[in-house]
């Protein structure tokens, strides 16, 4: 087949270039949407809220009560980051991931824009990949927003200082910041599995809300199963089981194998649900 | 092999996956020309690969390791007893299937010794092979640490931000230095078990009342290990068998497993390394100072007088407590009379911790090592409602309350006696009369 | 892969194209569509006859249950990445992100096109907006667009780049008379520029004015296809005689006497298919028989006649 007979010269950009352009467009779409920005602002408000409440009431929570790290915040603002992350992990962050990843394909299908993207043409695999990366980028932005606002609010209200690890040892603030970076990175990586699940569910329906809701349900059910001791055999494989392993960064010696185990489980979820999403999306009829 | 069927996929699936990701590499987009059936094979392959990646190492890990020179059971026990102390660090997983009601409270309370009552607990341990060691019981975002260094020891619980400093009574310090023996280290409430401590207790009296054999070598934490099996000669005990895996090179105990007669498939107790290194840990690990702002309690520990090692500090159990041992070996039952249960529960609730009662001879030593918290001593958990816990763990029987677990029975009679042993509950009730 | 030049190879060719949905319904049933290069092809059919489903299959959005599709000489869907940049499409109405402006929507479509150069993007978008008369409303959010404006924006997206083939599914839906006329002019202009245009519609008059070729779908089948003249010939030419009411029965008898079949009184006229009979003969016979001839008309078949004859009079959707 040649293009001798075509008046319009077709010279596709290098695939990497085309993918980058598509990704930029996706990112603009995700981060330009008012709903998503409100979501980001809402998540960023969590540490601000916690910090303000602690500052105004001037009361240190009793040790061992409330979410982990809450009792440390008034002593060292850095802990506001961890307290806020722990507060957001069970529901708000999964919700945020679900909204963006569940919307990824189903949202385009419901507005009908999916068919016009595909006839541009945008290869389906490339589109799926760009959607996944954009959703993950949004989840990452949410985590970073919580951390940055947490750190800023913590520093403003309570000041920051040397960081006391879970083991009781104290490390300098600079090292503590490095570990905080590690925590943020690990939490973002922990959300990849849920992104893949949301993306897969998003390929199944033309109703974005259905995909979003079922993604949230997956995260919550995973949390519930994780709390049932009778199911301890399957706990290590659960999507949410290793989420709190970010605490590893606050131990005396950060054990890479613990972190890698958590990442491996996320990798497994990404592999399976990413493959499912790919199979579904590249074989499905687009009749929206 | 692992239970993962093989799924055949044409090699061009993988290729086209790659090219699909990168876009159309030629005039024909090969990804769109794959049949749906081939496409749906991809998640199946992914699932298979994941299953293989997660299950195969587990399956391989259980397989016997390479040929080790044969060793008799007696030799092995000697080796362990006379092993040179070496630095050890690593991750220890402790799993208890004691059949107790679920009292796991780590979600609410953070990591603490009470986790050891049930389920699976991960610990990180460091030892310099001499007089310094550290153990950390890991919770999700909490940690309970026990740091020993010579005559002093610290415990620190991140959940309550509380540190306890144990020092040898100054009067005894001289004697401590003369002894300079591990046996004399200050005893710490809520201590954390290690595979070797568990094994020491079992092996110490292994040659009496017990059949000792070796099994095929195993692999534990990636190391080749000999394994010795201990079987009580009596059937009057709850213990079915104990297996101890010993590192072939260093003779360090890597894993101890205890089976109850109630379930001979899965061990009722298992404590073993999942990851071990024999490099000397950084000395700073043993150098603990409590964080600023933490609540610190000082405790002076008297060194036990020679000869009293066998007896628990009776003052802890009540002023007039008496102490008796009946039965031998695996069937040993310890009986303590005139115990004021109400007072102990009250004291614990207020944070006044009665002294521990480890150290008596018999199989219950081993069990108590793991379960000493069951007797109402709940260090590090001041907020816990011990009365409620006591009610939850025990069941009322004729003339008292009974605690039964897979490996240990404890009977608290209404007239203030406590009987405990690795024996069926009926034995205790009979003894109590 | 394919031999021959543009003249030999039709712009669209399907062979035995079939779509059976998972519900079991056969929406498209073994159709062999041929759209020659340069043609303006009117794709007709009642509601639910399978036009949109066919267009989706042409574009690779829906995979056929059986049969094959060739677009501009490349087989679909495999050839999509190469051939689709040369194809502009409007499928089942326009669709854009409601919270983006018209321009931002076009920018997105252009940005994701691997074959479009980013440098010339603003120019392309301006030209496309200009062409559909939306320049003034380019900054408005799509959500605030009227039905016709949305339709125009859909056309603008299809015309973002020079196209060799346009597949337009009901392009005049929701347009005002001016808009409809503009679309007709646009289609002619595109055809004059050498592009092939396939227009699906059920507005027959509209198709009739612009098409060179016609295909008629019903219940998933392609009942007829060819040039407009070929299709018209499949209809029947009628002779219609006007006379006074009391002479109508008489006229009917005369026509029957001439050998015309299916003679009927249709309101004020007596009508019959002309068949092979010459019109002059009919006139002579009627006048010669003493009838007051008030008027005589030969009616050539319209597309609508052919359409209704082929697809039936029924109003209800068939499936
Ligand atoms: N996704 C689908 N699943 C099942 N049936 C479908 C689907 N899409 C279309 N159909 C059916 O296929 C038939 C043809 O539909 P299609 O949309 O192609 O008709 P159409 O000719 O475009 O009609 P209209 O003129 O109303 O646009 C209809 O009966 C419709 O119900
Ligand atoms: Mg239609």
């Amino acid at each position: 087949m040649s293009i001798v007979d075509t008046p319009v010269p077709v010279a596709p950009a290098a695939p990497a270039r085309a993918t980058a352009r598509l990704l930029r467009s996706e990112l603009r779409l995700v981060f330009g949407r008012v709903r998503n920005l409100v979501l980001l602002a809402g998540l960023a408000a969590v540490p601000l809220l916690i910090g303000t409440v602690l500052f105004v009431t001037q009361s240190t929570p009793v040790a061992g009560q409330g979410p982990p790290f809450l009792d440390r915040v008034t002593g060292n603002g850095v802990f506001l980051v961890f307290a806020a992350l722990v507060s957001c992990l069970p529901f708000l962050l999964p919700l945020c991931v679900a909204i963006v990843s569940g919307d990824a394909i189903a949202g385009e299908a419901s507005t009908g824009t999916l068919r016009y993207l595909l006839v541009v043409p945008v290869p389906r695999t490339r589109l799926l990949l760009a959607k996944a990366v954009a959703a993950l980028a949004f989840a990452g932005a949410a985590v970073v927003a919580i951390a940055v606002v947490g750190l800023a609010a913590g520093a403003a209200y309570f000041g920051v200082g040397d960081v006391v690890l879970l083991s009781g040892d104290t490390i300098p603030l600079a090292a503590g910041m490095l570990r905080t970076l590690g925590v943020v990175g690990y939490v973002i990586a922990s959300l990849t599995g849920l992104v893949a699940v949301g993306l897969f569910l998003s390929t199944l329906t033309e109703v974005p809300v259905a995909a979003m809701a079922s993604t949230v349900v997956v995260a919550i059910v995973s949390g519930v199963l994780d709390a049932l001791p009778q199911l301890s055999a399957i706990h290590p494989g659960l999507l949410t089981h290793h989420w709190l392993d970010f605490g590893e960064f606050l131990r005396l010696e950060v054990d890479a194998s613990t972190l890698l185990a958590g990442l491996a489980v996320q990798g497994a979820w990404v592999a399976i649900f990413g493959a499912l999403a790919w199979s579904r999306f590249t074989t499905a009829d687009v009749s929206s | 092999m692992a239970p993962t069927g093989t799924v055949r996929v044409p090699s061009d699936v993988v290729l086209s996956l790659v090219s699909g990701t990168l876009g159309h590499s030629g005039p024909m987009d090969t990804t769109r020309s794959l049949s749906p059936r081939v496409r749906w094979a991809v998640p199946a392959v992914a699932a298979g690969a994941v299953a293989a990646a997660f299950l195969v190492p587990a399956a391989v890990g259980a397989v016997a390791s390479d040929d080790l020179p044969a060793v008799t059971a007696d030799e092995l026990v000697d080796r362990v007893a006379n092993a040179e102390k070496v630095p050890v660090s690593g991750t220890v997983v402790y799993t208890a299937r004691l059949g107790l009601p679920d009292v796991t409270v780590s979600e609410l309370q953070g990591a603490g010794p009470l986790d050891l009552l049930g389920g699976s607990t991960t610990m990180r341990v460091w030892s310099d092979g001499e007089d310094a060691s550290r153990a950390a019981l890991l919770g999700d975002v909490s940690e309970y640490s026990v740091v020993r260094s010579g005559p002093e020891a610290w415990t620190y619980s991140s959940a309550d931000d509380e540190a306890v400093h144990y020092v040898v009574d100054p009067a005894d310090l001289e004697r401590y230095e003369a002894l300079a023996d591990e046996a004399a280290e200050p005893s710490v409430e809520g201590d954390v078990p290690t595979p070797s401590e568990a094994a020491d207790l079992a092996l110490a009296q292994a040659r009496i009342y017990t059949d000792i054999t070796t099994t095929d070598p195993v692999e534990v934490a990636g190391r080749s290990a000999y394994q010795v099996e201990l079987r009580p000669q009596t059937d009057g005990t709850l213990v079915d068998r104990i297996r101890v895996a010993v590192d072939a090179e260093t003779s360090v105990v890597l894993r101890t497993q205890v089976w109850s007669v109630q379930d001979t498939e899965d061990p009722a107790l298992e404590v073993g390394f999942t990851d071990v290194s024999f490099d000397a840990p950084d000395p700073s690990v043993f150098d603990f100072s409590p964080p600023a702002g933490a609540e610190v309690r000082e405790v002076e520990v008297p060194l036990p007088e020679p000869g009293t090692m066998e007896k628990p500090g009776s003052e802890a159990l009540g002023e007039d407590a008496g102490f008796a041992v009946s039965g031998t070996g695996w069937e040993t039952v310890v009986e303590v009379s005139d115990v004021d249960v109400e007072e102990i529960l009250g004291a614990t609730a207020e944070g006044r911790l009665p002294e521990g009662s480890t150290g008596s001879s018999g199989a219950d030593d081993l069990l108590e090592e793991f379960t000493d918290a069951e007797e109402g001593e709940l260090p590090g958990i001041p907020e816990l409602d011990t009365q409620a816990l006591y009610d939850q763990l025990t069941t009322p029987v004729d003339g008292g309350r009974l605690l039964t677990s897979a490996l240990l029975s404890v009977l608290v009679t209404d007239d203030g006696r406590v009987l405990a042993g690795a024996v069926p509950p009926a034995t205790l009730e009979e003894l109590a009369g | 892969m394919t031999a021959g030049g543009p003249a030999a190879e039709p712009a669209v060719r399907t062979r035995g194209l079939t779509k059976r949905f998972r519900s079991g319904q056969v929406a498209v049933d073994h159709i062999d569509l041929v759209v020659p290069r340069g043609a303006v092809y009117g794709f007709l059919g009642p509601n639910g006859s399978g036009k949109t489903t066919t267009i989706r299959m042409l574009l690779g959005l829906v995979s056929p249950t059986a049969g094959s599709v060739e677009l501009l000489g490349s087989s679909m869907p495999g050839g999509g990445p190469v051939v689709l940049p040369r194809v502009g499409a409007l499928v089942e109405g326009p669709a854009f992100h409601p919270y983006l402006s018209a321009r931002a929507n076009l920018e997105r479509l252009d940005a994701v096109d691997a074959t479009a150069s980013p440098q010339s993007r603003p120019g392309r978008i301006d030209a496309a907006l200009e062409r559909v008369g939306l320049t003034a409303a380019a900054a408005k959010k799509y959500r605030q667009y009227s039905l016709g404006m949305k339709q125009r924006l859909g056309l603008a997206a299809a015309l973002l780049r020079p196209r060799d083939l346009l597949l337009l599914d009901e392009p005049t839906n929701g347009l005002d008379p001016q808009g409809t006329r503009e679309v007709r002019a646009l289609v002619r202009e595109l055809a004059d520029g050498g592009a092939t245009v396939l227009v699906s519609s059920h507005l027959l008059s509209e198709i009739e004015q612009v098409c060179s070729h016609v295909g008629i779908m019903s219940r998933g089948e392609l009942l007829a296809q060819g040039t407009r003249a070929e299709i018209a010939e499949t209809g029947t030419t009628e002779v219609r005689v006007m006379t006074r009411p009391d002479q109508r029965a008489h006229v009917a008898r005369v026509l029957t006497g001439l050998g015309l079949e299916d003679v009927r009184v249709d309101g004020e006229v007596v009508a019959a298919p002309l068949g092979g009979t010459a019109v002059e003969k009919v006139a002579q016979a009627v006048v010669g028989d003493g009838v007051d001839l008030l008027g005589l008309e030969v009616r050539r078949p319209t597309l609508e006649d052919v359409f209704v004859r082929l697809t039936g009079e029924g109003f209800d959707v068939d499936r």
Side-chain angles (χ1 to χ4, degrees):
Chain A
M1 202 197 82
S2 75
I3 12 182
V4 204
D5 54 319
T6 49
V8 184
V10 175
R17 191 97 136 294
T19 309
R21 252 194 261 160
L22 173 62
L23 189 57
R24 203 157 48 226
S25 175
E26 284 301 330
L27 289 174
R28 200 170 294 160
L29 204 64
V30 168
F31 285 95
R33 190 154 179 191
V34 176
R35 179 197 69 190
N36 292 352
L37 294 180
V38 169
L39 203 62
L40 266 190
L43 278 165
V46 170
L48 201 59
L49 198 72
I50 297 176
T52 307
V53 168
L54 290 178
F55 182 72
V56 169
T57 58
Q58 282 296 335
S59 73
T60 305
V62 181
Q65 298 212 322
F69 304 119
L70 199 63
D71 52 324
R72 306 286 174 96
V73 173
T74 49
N76 185 351
V78 175
F79 281 94
L80 188 51
V81 175
F82 308 131
L85 281 176
V86 171
S87 309
C88 292
L89 262 178
F91 184 71
L92 289 177
L93 276 173
L95 181 73
C96 167
V97 169
I99 286 181
V100 177
S101 63
D103 197 38
I105 302 295
E108 298 268 12
S110 79
T111 55
T113 41
L114 181 57
R115 60 177 184 266
Y116 288 110
L117 278 181
L118 296 183
V119 304
V120 157
V122 179
R124 296 192 188 199
T125 307
R126 191 188 293 170
L127 181 60
L128 192 69
L129 199 72
K131 290 281 181 193
V133 173
L136 187 61
F138 185 78
V143 177
V144 170
I146 293 172
V148 168
V149 173
L151 194 59
Y157 283 141
F158 313 108
V160 291
D162 292 352
V163 176
V164 175
L165 300 176
L166 291 173
S167 61
D169 300 82
T170 307
I171 58 167
L173 180 59
M177 285 294 102
L178 259 176
R179 287 173 181 243
T180 309
L181 259 179
V183 168
V184 168
Y186 183 83
V187 171
I188 294 174
S190 298
L191 296 174
T192 49
L194 192 60
V195 168
V197 171
L199 209 59
F200 169 61
L201 294 172
S202 187
T203 63
L204 295 182
T205 170
E206 286 165 18
V207 187
V209 179
M212 296 175 195
S214 34
T215 308
V216 172
V217 168
V218 167
I220 289 176
V221 167
S222 173
V224 169
L225 296 183
D226 203 19
L228 291 180
Q230 290 81 356
L231 298 177
S232 59
I234 63 162
H235 282 175
L238 286 176
L239 189 57
T240 55
H241 181 73
H242 297 279
W243 280 8
L244 286 178
D245 283 2
F246 76 75
E248 190 61 37
F249 282 100
L250 300 173
R251 300 200 193 281
L252 182 59
E253 286 173 354
V254 179
D255 178 37
S257 66
T258 305
L259 298 172
L260 288 177
L263 297 183
V265 169
Q266 293 301 321
W269 282 80
V270 167
I272 293 174
F273 279 86
L276 279 172
W278 178 80
S279 304
R280 163 72 191 175
F281 187 52
T282 56
T283 55
D285 283 345
V286 175
S287 53
S288 60
Chain B
M1 266 293 287
T4 52
T6 45
V7 186
R8 253 173 247 284
V9 183
S11 60
D12 64 315
V13 172
V14 181
L15 289 177
S16 59
L17 259 174
V18 172
S19 69
T21 314
L22 300 173
H24 38 86
S25 44
M28 295 288 281
D29 183 356
T30 43
T31 57
R32 295 290 294 136
S33 56
L34 286 174
S35 79
R37 190 174 301 193
V38 174
R39 279 157 194 278
W40 281 108
V42 172
V45 171
V50 164
F54 281 80
L55 297 181
V56 169
V60 169
V63 167
S65 50
D66 45 273
D67 302 301
L68 293 172
V71 170
T72 68
D74 274 350
E75 272 171 5
L76 206 53
V77 173
D78 280 341
R79 275 198 207 181
V80 174
N82 303 324
E84 208 180 308
K85 285 280 187 177
V86 292
V88 176
S89 61
T91 305
V92 170
V93 172
Y94 167 97
T95 309
R97 297 179 196 84
L98 292 174
L100 290 171
D102 183 34
V103 290
T104 318
V105 286
S106 62
E107 254 106 274
L108 301 170
Q109 302 278 341
L114 205 60
D115 293 354
L116 300 173
L117 285 186
S120 195
T121 309
T122 305
M123 290 167 274
R124 212 139 298 150
V125 298
W126 297 261
S127 162
D128 70 349
E130 286 160 29
D131 62 351
S133 69
R134 180 171 190 146
L137 216 144
L138 309 183
D140 270 345
V141 280
S142 57
E143 198 170 309
Y144 173 79
S145 305
V146 181
V147 190
R148 291 174 200 273
S149 185
E152 61 172 342
W154 286 93
T155 65
Y156 176 77
S157 156
S158 75
D160 348 289
D161 197 18
E162 187 195 52
V164 184
H165 190 196
Y166 296 86
V167 285
V168 171
D169 194 327
D172 287 335
L173 197 55
E174 226 170 281
R175 198 157 52 84
Y176 168 82
E177 264 146 31
L179 280 169
D181 183 328
E182 178 221 17
E185 68 186 13
S187 72
V188 171
E189 301 300 337
D191 203 353
V192 169
T194 62
S196 63
E197 277 170 24
D200 285 349
L201 287 161
L203 293 176
Q205 48 152 356
R207 283 173 237 216
I208 342 163
Y209 317 118
T210 309
D211 292 328
I212 310 183
T213 51
T214 51
T215 71
D216 284 337
V218 288
E219 196 178 283
V220 178
R223 311 256 323 167
S224 302
Y226 292 112
Q227 187 158 261
V228 45
E229 182 174 285
L230 316 168
R231 273 184 189 275
Q233 286 162 344
T234 165
D235 50 12
T237 174
L238 292 172
V239 177
D240 177 65
R241 66 188 190 278
I242 298 176
R243 279 184 174 176
V244 179
V246 180
D247 185 61
E249 203 178 302
T250 62
S251 296
V252 167
V253 174
L254 295 178
R255 184 177 67 198
T256 301
Q257 295 163 297
V258 185
W259 279 265
S260 149
V261 288
Q262 292 161 13
D263 178 1
T264 53
E265 286 287 313
D266 297 316
L269 275 183
E270 171 167 354
V271 54
F273 282 98
T274 56
D275 178 34
V276 69
S277 154
F278 296 103
D279 298 334
D282 189 325
S284 66
V285 166
F286 309 112
D287 181 15
F288 185 86
S289 52
E295 189 187 320
V296 179
R297 246 172 356 100
E298 294 285 340
V299 176
E300 277 182 11
V301 189
L303 271 194
E305 292 295 328
T308 59
M309 292 280 286
E310 301 282 292
K311 280 204 168 189
S314 61
E315 71 279 7
L317 300 167
E319 277 309 310
D320 314 311
F323 182 81
V325 178
S326 57
T328 52
W330 297 96
E331 290 165 274
T332 305
V333 171
V334 181
E335 179 176 340
V336 185
S337 52
D338 299 325
V339 177
D340 189 344
V341 175
E342 297 297 325
E343 200 210 294
I344 290 172
L345 291 173
T348 317
E350 288 161 33
R352 284 190 289 118
L353 299 170
E355 289 299 313
S357 62
T358 50
S360 62
S361 69
D364 51 294
D365 273 5
L366 172 63
L367 308 168
E368 277 178 276
E369 177 73 22
F370 295 115
T371 54
D372 57 1
E374 286 165 21
E375 286 169 75
E377 301 161 14
L378 305 162
I381 316 286
E383 293 89 10
L384 202 74
D385 184 347
T386 41
Q387 181 68 52
L389 184 68
Y390 176 69
D391 291 343
Q392 197 184 344
L393 285 173
T394 58
T395 48
V397 290
D398 208 17
R401 293 187 73 86
L402 183 68
L403 178 145
T404 54
S405 72
L407 291 175
L408 178 73
S409 303
V410 180
L411 177 67
V412 181
T413 61
D414 292 339
D415 57 9
R417 286 175 300 151
V418 176
L419 295 90
V423 292
T427 312
L428 295 185
E429 288 184 62
E430 213 171 283
L431 273 171
Chain C
M1 214 166 290
T2 52
E9 197 63 52
V12 178
R13 177 201 285 283
T14 74
R15 291 191 175 87
L17 191 63
T18 302
K19 181 66 193 183
R20 176 196 291 275
F21 281 109
R22 213 173 301 158
S23 58
Q25 180 175 2
V26 183
V28 175
D29 195 1
H30 290 91
I31 70 170
D32 301 308
L33 207 62
V34 180
V35 180
R37 298 247 170 171
V40 177
Y41 188 101
F43 196 36
L44 299 175
N47 291 141
S49 55
K51 303 183 295 294
T52 302
T53 305
T54 304
I55 292 176
R56 282 182 191 278
M57 284 193 284
L58 296 184
L59 291 167
L61 293 173
V62 165
S63 49
T65 313
S68 65
V69 174
E70 265 176 42
L71 228 51
L72 298 173
S74 305
S75 76
M76 288 292 288
V82 171
V83 82
L84 286 180
R86 298 159 56 199
V87 179
L90 189 64
V91 187
E92 205 155 64
F96 294 93
H97 292 287
Y99 48 91
L100 291 184
S101 71
R103 178 179 292 277
N105 267 302
L106 291 185
E107 271 168 359
R108 169 163 165 79
L109 282 179
D110 200 84
V112 301
D113 187 346
T115 63
S117 128
Q119 282 78 33
S120 50
R121 185 176 304 152
R124 271 199 304 275
I125 290 172
D126 286 338
L129 287 168
E130 174 81 48
R131 211 161 177 184
V132 297
L134 282 180
T135 310
K140 248 193 190 177
K141 293 250 190 298
Y142 179 70
R143 194 185 324 131
Q144 299 157 347
Y145 265 33
S146 71
L147 179 59
M149 289 162 87
K150 288 177 177 171
Q151 193 75 21
R152 285 166 192 246
L153 189 60
L155 283 168
L159 298 172
L160 257 182
R161 322 206 22 212
R163 310 288 194 184
D164 293 338
L165 173 64
L166 284 138
L167 303 178
L168 305 178
D169 192 12
E170 317 203 7
T172 56
N173 185 27
L175 288 185
D176 52 23
Q178 289 89 334
T180 311
R181 274 176 52 166
E182 274 165 44
V183 168
R184 273 204 300 269
L186 197 67
V187 168
R188 279 203 198 98
E189 192 187 313
L190 290 166
D192 291 346
T196 310
V197 187
L198 180 144
V199 189
S200 106
S201 181
H202 29 239
L203 293 180
L204 302 166
S205 56
E206 189 182 288
I207 295 264
E208 215 163 3
Q209 291 180 46
V210 288
C211 305
S212 61
H213 290 70
V214 174
I216 296 177
M217 291 280 293
S218 176
R219 303 178 197 202
E221 286 171 48
L222 187 63
L223 297 180
Q225 107 177 306
T227 63
R228 205 168 72 207
E230 284 165 359
I231 293 294
E233 271 163 27
T234 69
T236 44
T237 309
E238 252 183 8
V239 64
R240 298 164 72 84
V241 181
M242 268 150 277
T243 182
R244 276 199 293 274
D246 56 310
Q247 290 182 334
R248 281 178 195 153
H250 186 121
V251 171
R253 274 198 302 281
V254 173
L255 293 188
T256 311
L258 276 172
L260 298 186
E261 285 166 16
D262 295 337
V263 179
R264 67 189 197 282
V265 177
D266 184 3
E268 292 175 11
V269 299
V270 182
L274 199 48
T277 318
V279 194
E280 314 81 275
K281 261 193 161 167
V282 175
Q284 277 167 14
V286 172
V287 175
D289 222 38
V291 172
D292 297 329
L293 187 60
L294 299 182
L296 186 128
E297 183 195 11
V298 177
R299 217 176 92 180
R300 312 226 167 264
T302 63
L303 208 48
E304 182 168 345
D305 296 327
V306 178
F307 183 79
V308 171
R309 182 173 57 77
L310 287 174
T311 61
E313 294 269 5
F315 166 74
D316 290 334
V317 173
D318 288 321
R319 296 165 301 171

